[in-house]
Amino acid sequence: MDQSKEKFAQLQELIDSLKNQPGALMPVLQGAQGIFGCVSEDVQKFIAEGLGVTLSEVYGVATFYAQFSLHPKGKYLISVCLGTACYVKGSQTILDKLSEVLEIPVGGTTPDGKFTLEATRCLGACGLAPVMMINGEVYGRLTPDVIPGIIEKYRAKED
Amino acid sequence: MEEKMISLTIDGVQVQVPNGTTVLEAARKAGIRIPTLCFLKGINEIGACRMCVVDSGARALQASCVLPAADGMVVKTNTPAIKEYRKNILELTLSTHKKECLSCIRSQNCELQKLCLELGVEFGDKYEGIKNDYTIDDLSPSIVRDNNKCVLCRRCVSVCAHVQNIGVIGPVNRGFKTAIESPWGFKLNQMACINCGQCIVNCPVGALHEKDDTDEVWALLADPDKYVVVQPAPAVRAALGEEFGFPMGTSVTGKMASALRRLGFDKVFDTDFGADLTIMEEATELVERISNGGKLPMITSCSPGWIKFCETYYPDFIDNLSSCKSPHQMNGAMIKTYFAEKMNIDPHKIAVVSVMPCTAKKFEAKRPEMGHDGMADVDVVITTRELARMIKKAGIDFNAIPESDFDSLMGESTGAAVIFGATGGVMEAALRTAYETITGTKLKDVEFHEVRGIKGIKEATIKIGDSDVSVAVASGTGNAGKLLDEIRKGNKNYTFIEIMACPGGCVNGGGQPIVSAQEKMDKDIRVERAKALYEEDRAKALRKSHDNTEIKTLYTEYLGKPGGHKSHELLHTHYQKRPLYTD
């Protein structure tokens, strides 16, 4: 609760600093995405009121650009590299397997809020291809059959 | 400052236009109509649809609606390449379009259909586009959106955001998934939409239309136990004729009364009577507020779009609103009391149908405070367009039928009531009565030209007796907002204000016949239709509401006096603050 208050205060500060500039909506949305990890309905309403624009305008911009996400990301962000090296080494099959195991599409988040599955560009670990990253931890030389075990490890984590 | 004139050649025709003119407008001056789809003069000039492309010698074809004419420019508007280009755009547009043209509400009045005919699109199935299968949003009491027919021109978005200053719709997502809708999956009825319907009258296709309530009216007319009373609003008579080929600005009052009678209504009354009644109450309220130190400025309350706008966006002005119900609601209340008693009819058996130039009236009639004893003042509201459809469906030859009068008791009206349909009309009507009430002397000239015309905000100071009364008139909620902002800041001060939600007032209401963007380039519908009303006013024997003999009878026999106890019970109402979103 207090944490959320702090985040909104941070957003307010950003809005105040950009308010009178033309085209303030983009940088404010980018800032909000960074602060909250997503631009949810509440955040967008806050921005609309703060900048004196309509919610339609905020939502229109937020849904136009892929960099904004409307819903909170999962606790564990799984990024599968689809860069050239990884792709050639079969990272698509890794991505498909994850999608199957987690029962979510690419870009989706599990209903329990634990996992978000994303495809990403080159992670710079081509020597380990195919590669994925879970919250910064790198997993290399993957095959589809090791995926369930890795996911199970995160599912079992209690904290 | 003198405008610099420039000269250019379009399709071999030399034309001179003021600097700053677009090629689209310049071509029109040369007698060349460049096709348009997303263009809406003064409102949506974004060059998005590319229908209006021309060859100006530049590397690529350019959208003429946003291309400034330049001195010495040579433009071609109709080369084989351009024709092919435009046809291709139409074919691409049709690839995602729900082609329900046989039964579409806009069939024969659809800008897309017209373009396809003119530019020779054959079947409209050249490309297979992605069909998104959108759910039709029909939860609003006034407006229906079918995105399967939307061409993404953004005319509705512009008029909502920039003319009305509301912005409850906008483009969401991108690519094939782009749709015009409210944010976060909200339906229109969950947003602070004021139901004005300006989106509908500016839509080129059938993606937006009024909530059709004609079936309810047909059912009432067919019910032998119902006594069905109809009342058309002032602005309806100034536009209904357009649906039957009459030139814009033709008043069809007499034919309309005959057509309503032929449709089978038991009584054909006139909302103009209610307008005169409104003036009696509102002028009394104004005089009382002035003499008793009541809340000023007093603001008119006839326009339900404006009322909802005030309740939502300017709730600090709620106490400034006149407590008077709008004319058709007053009429409804009188039909179910005064008229019912006089005719000895059980008011529960009476159904009141209002024909309005307005989609917001559908919302207003459903407000719970608009009734008494468990009866709504008005049972069904249909728009001018819906009435036209009913007349056509009933096989009534509108052009051939003779004219007739409204039924007596609540059918008489004065010129003051007729002009309610134009911006400034309510103000002028109120001034005619307030002047004579306050001074006790007859007006030499009943016309107050300073409050007429289509300017968004009009101000005037009217001398009434010894005092100067400062008034303002705004039409279009965007203009209303500007005016109220000035009052909030303390920069302006008025005694009496008239506000109408639609630009130009009810003549340009969201329920009126739809005029294409091309036609609107040539004439201003706000001006043309208002002319019909001012002419009718001038032709009336009585031009001041307090001279209406049936109104006098109503007060003597039933209401007592304006602003009296009975009036307050039946003719006045109250307002409430409303949220921006309702979940």
Side-chain angles (χ1 to χ4, degrees):
Chain A
M1 189 63 205
D2 279 339
Q3 206 189 352
S4 145
K5 225 185 216 170
E6 210 173 277
K7 286 178 178 174
F8 275 104
Q10 219 179 319
L11 178 59
Q12 184 62 54
E13 218 170 279
L14 180 66
I15 290 171
D16 291 341
S17 71
L18 293 165
K19 200 174 171 161
N20 299 317
Q21 287 178 21
L25 182 54
M26 265 310 262
V28 168
L29 271 171
Q30 284 166 330
Q33 175 77 41
I35 295 166
F36 295 90
C38 73
V39 282
S40 63
E41 190 179 322
D42 286 347
V43 171
Q44 287 192 19
K45 281 178 177 169
F46 190 87
I47 293 172
E49 204 186 320
L51 288 177
V53 299
T54 61
L55 184 61
S56 288
E57 208 174 324
V58 179
Y59 185 78
V61 173
T63 55
F64 186 84
Y65 295 102
Q67 69 181 105
F68 300 118
S69 92
L70 300 186
H71 303 287
K73 295 226 164 118
K75 190 171 171 194
Y76 300 110
L77 176 63
I78 308 173
S79 316
V80 179
C81 179
L82 288 187
T84 312
C86 286
Y87 191 79
V88 170
K89 287 274 192 180
S91 63
Q92 184 65 49
T93 61
I94 305 298
L95 192 59
D96 292 345
K97 187 70 188 177
L98 280 161
S99 182
E100 181 199 317
V101 170
L102 295 167
E103 296 177 345
I104 50 170
V106 178
T109 300
T110 53
D112 62 2
K114 220 157 191 187
F115 298 98
T116 294
L117 178 60
E118 277 185 354
T120 169
R121 290 183 211 169
C122 184
L123 292 170
C126 308
L128 299 174
V131 165
M132 73 171 176
M133 218 160 64
I134 303 183
N135 282 9
E137 196 172 332
V138 179
Y139 293 82
R141 299 204 177 94
L142 293 165
T143 51
D145 54 301
V146 304
I147 294 300
I150 296 172
I151 294 303
E152 210 36 63
K153 202 177 88 192
Y154 282 91
R155 275 194 180 137
K157 276 193 183 179
E158 272 307 332
D159 43 13
Chain B
M1 203 177 78
E2 203 170 304
E3 266 179 332
K4 192 185 159 225
M5 294 298 280
I6 52 171
S7 177
L8 67 161
T9 311
I10 307 177
D11 293 343
V13 182
Q14 188 132 30
V15 61
Q16 290 199 322
V17 292
N19 197 16
T21 307
T22 63
V23 170
L24 176 69
E25 292 168 293
R28 225 166 170 82
K29 223 181 152 193
I32 299 156
R33 287 174 159 253
I34 298 173
T36 55
L37 186 57
C38 72
F39 179 81
L40 193 58
K41 189 180 174 183
I43 297 170
N44 199 50
E45 303 182 352
I46 59 173
C49 75
R50 320 303 293 176
M51 276 309 296
C52 68
V53 289
V54 295
D55 183 349
S56 64
R59 254 189 326 172
L61 298 179
Q62 289 186 287
S64 62
C65 69
V66 288
L67 179 65
D71 207 26
M73 203 178 213
V74 179
V75 180
K76 288 182 195 138
T77 75
N78 207 21
T79 64
I82 291 172
K83 277 185 270 197
E84 199 48 41
Y85 185 101
R86 289 178 184 151
K87 194 172 159 186
N88 209 27
I89 290 167
L90 288 173
E91 276 158 343
L92 285 166
T93 305
L94 290 171
S95 75
T96 59
H97 189 73
K98 180 162 89 180
K99 292 179 277 290
E100 226 177 40
C101 308
L102 282 179
S103 58
C104 181
I105 201 158
R106 290 291 297 275
S107 194
Q108 299 183 67
N109 185 22
C110 168
E111 294 183 29
L112 179 62
Q113 189 181 43
K114 190 163 179 274
L115 286 168
C116 286
L117 268 173
E118 286 175 357
L119 299 178
V121 171
E122 279 158 26
F123 299 103
D125 55 358
K126 186 169 169 188
Y127 303 111
E128 183 68 40
I130 290 174
K131 300 270 199 304
N132 283 303
D133 198 15
Y134 295 104
T135 313
I136 295 174
D137 178 7
D138 59 356
L139 298 176
S140 151
S142 305
I143 297 164
V144 179
R145 173 178 284 279
D146 181 355
N147 268 342
N148 302 298
K149 294 180 185 170
C150 176
V151 294
L152 302 171
C153 69
R154 288 155 173 77
R155 279 156 56 163
C156 58
V157 177
S158 287
V159 81
C160 185
H162 305 132
V163 177
Q164 299 298 66
N165 202 15
I166 290 166
V168 289
I169 43 170
V172 307
N173 300 322
R174 69 191 288 174
F176 272 115
K177 290 204 169 125
T178 309
I180 307 300
E181 53 187 42
S182 297
W184 290 98
F186 280 121
K187 298 295 172 199
L188 209 45
N189 67 329
Q190 296 173 296
M191 297 294 290
C193 166
I194 61 163
N195 307 304
C196 70
Q198 282 300 310
C199 54
I200 299 174
V201 289
N202 287 303
C203 179
V205 296
L208 284 159
H209 59 84
E210 66 285 346
K211 184 76 162 279
D212 188 301
D213 290 309
T214 56
D215 280 347
E216 222 175 308
V217 181
W218 289 120
L220 286 171
L221 290 171
D223 186 342
D225 291 331
K226 283 284 180 193
Y227 191 96
V228 193
V229 183
V230 71
Q231 49 158 336
V236 175
R237 66 210 65 196
L240 180 65
E242 291 166 32
E243 295 274 359
F244 300 94
F246 288 88
M248 190 180 286
T250 310
S251 180
V252 292
T253 315
K255 281 180 180 288
M256 176 178 69
S258 299
L260 290 169
R261 211 162 270 124
R262 289 201 185 186
L263 281 171
F265 289 102
D266 296 297
K267 279 283 174 199
V268 180
F269 285 153
D270 192 357
T271 306
D272 283 18
F273 176 86
D276 277 333
L277 184 56
T278 301
I279 288 302
M280 297 304 290
E281 293 293 326
E282 202 161 275
T284 307
E285 186 184 355
L286 178 65
V287 172
E288 265 171 23
R289 285 195 192 207
I290 293 172
S291 38
N292 302 337
K295 185 93 173 166
L296 293 173
M298 186 173 94
I299 312 179
T300 58
S301 55
C302 300
S303 164
W306 146 243
I307 293 296
K308 195 169 175 217
F309 180 79
C310 180
E311 291 177 320
T312 312
Y313 300 93
Y314 288 85
D316 46 324
F317 283 92
I318 285 179
D319 290 340
N320 295 78
L321 291 173
S322 160
S323 64
C324 289
K325 286 182 183 174
S326 71
H328 86 116
Q329 295 291 155
M330 284 199 180
N331 250 12
M334 289 301 98
I335 289 164
K336 291 190 179 180
T337 52
Y338 167 66
F339 169 76
E341 277 177 36
K342 214 161 164 124
M343 300 287 288
N344 201 19
I345 305 170
D346 174 5
H348 292 277
K349 289 193 170 168
I350 298 178
V352 176
V353 175
S354 298
V355 186
M356 298 283 126
C358 179
T359 44
K361 292 278 175 195
K362 289 175 186 276
F363 169 79
E364 180 189 43
K366 289 190 167 80
R367 291 174 73 121
E369 61 273 20
M370 291 292 171
H372 72 285
D373 295 342
M375 285 181 293
D377 294 336
V378 171
D379 298 275
V380 190
V381 172
I382 58 170
T383 59
T384 310
R385 295 190 293 272
E386 287 165 273
L387 173 61
R389 288 205 289 277
M390 287 187 75
I391 293 171
K392 286 172 190 168
K393 202 169 188 178
I396 297 164
D397 185 346
F398 195 78
N399 296 59
I401 55 170
E403 301 189 357
S404 65
D405 283 332
F406 293 104
D407 288 318
S408 56
L409 208 63
M410 294 177 63
E412 183 185 323
S413 67
T414 71
V418 179
I419 59 174
F420 260 57
T423 166
V426 178
M427 171 64 66
E428 183 168 343
L431 288 173
R432 291 178 189 178
T433 290
Y435 183 94
E436 297 200 350
T437 315
I438 293 170
T439 64
T441 57
K442 291 260 174 242
L443 268 172
K444 281 195 202 82
D445 180 6
V446 298
E447 297 187 1
F448 291 85
H449 287 271
E450 49 278 62
V451 295
R452 294 187 182 185
I454 54 160
K455 220 173 127 210
I457 298 173
K458 293 168 277 190
E459 298 173 280
T461 305
I462 311 288
K463 198 149 191 73
I464 299 184
D466 296 329
S467 51
D468 286 326
V469 179
S470 163
V471 302
V473 175
S475 73
T477 47
N479 290 321
K482 277 182 209 151
L483 182 69
L484 298 180
D485 286 342
E486 288 301 302
I487 297 170
R488 265 184 186 168
K489 285 187 213 148
N491 295 342
K492 295 279 183 184
N493 197 14
Y494 307 98
T495 304
F496 187 36
I497 299 173
E498 179 207 289
I499 295 179
M500 294 294 158
C502 291
C506 310
V507 286
N508 186 32
Q512 291 282 62
I514 295 171
V515 177
S516 74
Q518 286 270 339
E519 207 176 336
K520 282 188 216 170
M521 287 175 75
D522 296 330
K523 47 187 151 190
D524 195 321
I525 57 180
R526 300 169 298 178
V527 176
E528 299 301 322
R529 288 174 181 164
K531 263 188 217 157
L533 297 180
Y534 286 115
E535 271 165 32
E536 193 157 322
D537 166 39
R538 217 162 293 136
K540 284 268 191 183
L542 302 174
R543 299 180 68 186
K544 290 166 287 191
S545 297
H546 54 282
D547 290 341
N548 184 324
T549 58
E550 287 181 356
I551 291 282
K552 286 182 194 166
T553 312
L554 170 64
Y555 277 107
T556 339
E557 290 189 3
Y558 190 74
L559 288 172
K561 62 177 173 65
H565 175 68
K566 242 191 171 120
S567 290
H568 271 282
E569 191 190 316
L570 296 168
L571 306 179
H572 290 255
T573 186
H574 54 272
Y575 311 101
Q576 65 190 79
K577 200 176 163 188
R578 288 176 195 272
L580 279 178
Y581 319 100
T582 41
D583 294 328

